Amino acid sequence: MAADILDRLPPDFDIEAAQHQHPSTYLESMNTVLVQELGRANVLLAIIRASLHELSKAVKVGAAGGPLGPL
């Protein structure tokens, strides 16, 4: 199940490409917000990926009979 979710997660957003395509200028202040939000989304995606990897490891240990025996 965790592997399926990992497969469906989008790749990290290319912040440099977004900055190039939507440069931050005085008249386009929303472009600054866009780049900031893409950065936050990348952090969140990294946390989700790490959590899913840890969950997968825990399930494998539990199924193999970890410290508490097989689940």
Side-chain angles (χ1 to χ4, degrees):
M1 182 171 165
D4 180 48
I5 296 170
L6 278 169
D7 289 341
R8 290 187 286 150
L9 282 177
D12 285 349
F13 294 100
D14 187 350
I15 294 175
E16 289 182 19
Q19 287 174 327
H20 181 70
Q21 189 174 3
H22 304 284
S24 297
T25 64
Y26 181 76
L27 298 175
E28 297 292 337
S29 59
M30 287 300 290
N31 291 349
T32 302
V33 175
L34 171 67
V35 171
Q36 291 172 347
E37 291 302 316
L38 289 176
R40 290 182 182 107
N42 283 347
V43 170
L44 181 59
L45 285 169
I47 291 169
I48 292 170
R49 285 187 188 99
S51 297
L52 288 170
H53 283 295
E54 291 297 317
L55 179 63
S56 294
K57 289 179 192 176
V59 168
K60 287 178 187 175
V61 168
L68 302 176
L71 299 177

